[in-house]
């Protein structure tokens, strides 16, 4: 028998014998297998969570309301105030204090979903002739968000162009539009603003998404010997052929009513009625 294994076995038995002696009786599970001491960080682990947007807005709203009720500024709040604000919150008072001070100093909250009041004010400002998006964002923040920089000029521009502008075409893309943006893409590359000017009533964002969709389709249809440029050329030729076929079909198809216009139809009705009246008179 291996001497080392025998020694380890005897040592283990002696440890259990010490636990079962009268001085240590009764023995508990924790004495046999003691658990590691929980650190302070482990105890506070439930507080170490990332801030969600609605939590940030709610806690800052609480802080401003608390300042109004107590007649103080945010800079004057103490840790005791933040202990009150941190109630029913997943963060510690220190974390709440740091977050509120961070928002107060930067004046910025993470933007959320656009509200109806924001959309209405954005439309009103544009109707008044204000064209600078930075100025629009500043007025919107001052009126609705109490001066906090919630909205930027870029966000206001994208909101108007992508969702609110009634002149923007959000319908299905035609072969003619696809042809124009593909030809412009070959010339200008990823300059989306320039490409968007080649067609009317389409936003820069929609043009970008449409081109990427077409490029993905081209990549799927590519053969081993083709490259992306030749794939674009093939799709351009296909769009042109589709437009020619549609044009030929529309010119070759008979007119509505087999060439009978409203005027000719009224004249024909008059002749028929006169003929019917004559037949009834003869009879």
């Amino acid at each position: 028998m291996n001497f080392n294994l025998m020694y380890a076995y005897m040592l283990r038995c002696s440890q259990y014998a010490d636990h079962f002696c009268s001085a240590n009786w009764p023995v508990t599970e924790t004495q046999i297998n003691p658990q590691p001491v929980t650190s302070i960080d482990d105890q506070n682990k439930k507080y170490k969570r990332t801030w969600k947007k609605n939590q940030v807005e709610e806690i800052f709203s609480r802080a401003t309301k608390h300042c109004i009720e107590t007649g103080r500024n945010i800079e004057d709040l103490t840790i005791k105030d933040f202990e009150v604000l941190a109630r029913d919150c997943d963060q510690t008072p220190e974390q709440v204090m740091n977050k509120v001070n961070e928002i107060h100093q930067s004046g910025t909250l993470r933007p959320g979903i656009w509200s109806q009041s924001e959309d209405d004010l954005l439309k009103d400002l544009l109707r008044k002739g204000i064209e600078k998006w930075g100025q629009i964002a500043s007025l919107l923040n001052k009126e609705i968000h109490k001066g906090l920089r919630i909205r930027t000029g870029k966000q206001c521009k994208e909101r108007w162009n992508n969702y609110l502008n009634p002149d923007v075409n959000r319908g299905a893309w035609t072969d003619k539009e696809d042809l124009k943006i593909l030809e412009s893409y070959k010339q200008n590359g990823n300059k989306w603003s320039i490409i968007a000017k080649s067609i009317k009533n389409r936003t820069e964002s929609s043009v970008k998404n449409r081109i990427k969709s077409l490029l993905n389709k081209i990549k799927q249809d590519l053969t081993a010997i083709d490259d992306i440029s030749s794939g674009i050329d093939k799709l351009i030729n296909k769009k042109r052929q589709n437009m020619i076929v549609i044009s030929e079909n529309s010119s070759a198809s008979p007119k509505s009513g087999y060439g009978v216009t409203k005027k000719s139809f009224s004249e024909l009705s008059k002749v028929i009625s006169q003929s019917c009246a004559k037949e009834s008179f003869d009879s």
Side-chain angles (χ1 to χ4, degrees):
M1 187 174 180
N2 192 330
F3 178 77
N4 292 331
L5 291 176
M6 183 182 296
Y7 178 76
Y9 177 76
M10 294 174 63
L11 182 63
R12 185 64 174 170
C13 291
S14 64
Q15 290 176 350
Y16 274 96
D18 292 339
H19 283 294
F20 283 95
C21 67
S22 59
N24 295 327
W25 187 265
V27 67
T28 61
E29 180 66 23
T30 55
Q31 289 175 325
I32 298 175
N33 297 313
Q35 299 295 326
V37 178
T38 304
S39 64
I40 297 176
D41 291 338
D42 292 336
Q43 294 176 354
N44 294 334
K45 189 175 181 180
K46 64 178 182 179
Y47 294 109
K48 294 187 177 181
R49 299 179 180 178
T50 57
W51 286 88
K52 297 180 180 179
K53 181 184 70 65
N54 58 342
Q55 289 179 323
V56 175
E57 293 177 350
E58 180 183 356
I59 202 65
F60 191 78
S61 177
R62 284 189 194 178
T64 53
K65 185 178 179 181
H66 183 74
C67 289
I68 294 173
E69 292 175 351
T70 58
R72 291 182 294 169
N73 297 321
I74 289 180
E75 300 91 339
D76 302 329
L77 299 181
T78 63
I79 190 64
K80 292 184 178 180
D81 296 309
F82 289 106
E83 288 176 355
V84 176
L85 296 174
R87 291 174 184 172
D88 302 327
C89 184
D90 292 337
Q91 280 74 22
T92 64
E94 290 79 7
Q95 289 173 318
V96 172
M97 179 179 65
N98 293 334
K99 179 57 68 174
V100 170
N101 289 331
E102 175 189 341
I103 297 170
H104 179 66
Q105 292 173 6
S106 63
T108 304
L109 279 174
R110 291 173 57 190
I113 299 174
W114 282 74
S115 63
Q116 187 62 44
S117 58
E118 287 180 306
D119 288 342
D120 294 339
L121 182 57
L122 179 58
K123 294 176 184 177
D124 291 338
L125 293 174
L126 288 169
R127 276 196 292 265
K128 291 178 181 178
I130 303 176
E131 298 179 353
K132 294 182 178 180
W133 295 109
Q135 184 181 1
I136 291 173
S138 178
L139 293 172
L140 191 146
N141 290 330
K142 182 179 180 181
E143 182 71 21
I144 296 179
H145 300 294
K146 300 178 181 179
L148 291 174
R149 292 192 294 273
I150 306 298
R151 301 297 177 190
T152 63
K154 181 180 179 181
Q155 291 169 353
C156 293
K157 178 182 177 181
E158 291 178 349
R159 181 65 178 176
W160 172 253
N161 289 333
N162 296 334
Y163 298 98
L164 301 179
N165 190 349
D167 298 330
V168 172
N169 182 7
R170 299 181 180 88
W173 285 76
T174 63
D175 289 331
K176 185 177 180 180
E177 289 177 319
D178 288 341
L179 182 61
K180 285 185 177 180
I181 62 174
L182 285 172
E183 290 176 342
S184 182
Y185 177 76
K186 284 197 66 177
Q187 295 177 357
N188 302 296
N190 295 336
K191 297 179 180 179
W192 310 117
S193 59
I194 297 176
I195 298 173
K197 293 178 182 178
S198 61
I199 57 175
K200 294 182 179 180
N201 302 332
R202 293 286 188 181
T203 65
E204 181 180 332
S205 177
S206 64
V207 168
K208 178 181 178 181
N209 293 334
R210 180 59 178 174
I211 290 179
K212 287 188 174 182
S213 176
L214 293 173
L215 291 178
N216 289 333
K217 184 178 180 181
I218 291 171
K219 291 177 182 178
Q220 292 175 359
D221 298 337
L222 285 179
T223 61
I225 59 175
D226 290 335
D227 57 6
I228 190 67
S229 180
S230 61
I232 293 175
D233 291 334
K234 287 182 179 180
L235 185 57
I236 288 175
N237 292 331
K238 183 179 179 180
K239 296 290 182 180
R240 285 175 179 167
Q241 291 175 0
N242 291 342
M243 292 175 61
I244 293 173
V245 171
I246 293 173
S247 177
E248 290 177 350
N249 291 338
S250 61
S251 61
S253 60
K255 296 182 180 179
S256 176
Y258 298 96
V260 179
T261 63
K262 185 176 181 181
K263 182 178 180 181
S264 61
F265 182 79
S266 61
E267 292 176 353
L268 181 62
S269 300
K270 186 177 180 181
V271 171
I272 293 173
S273 61
Q274 289 176 354
S275 176
C276 292
K278 184 178 180 181
E279 289 178 359
S280 62
F281 179 78
D282 292 339
S283 61

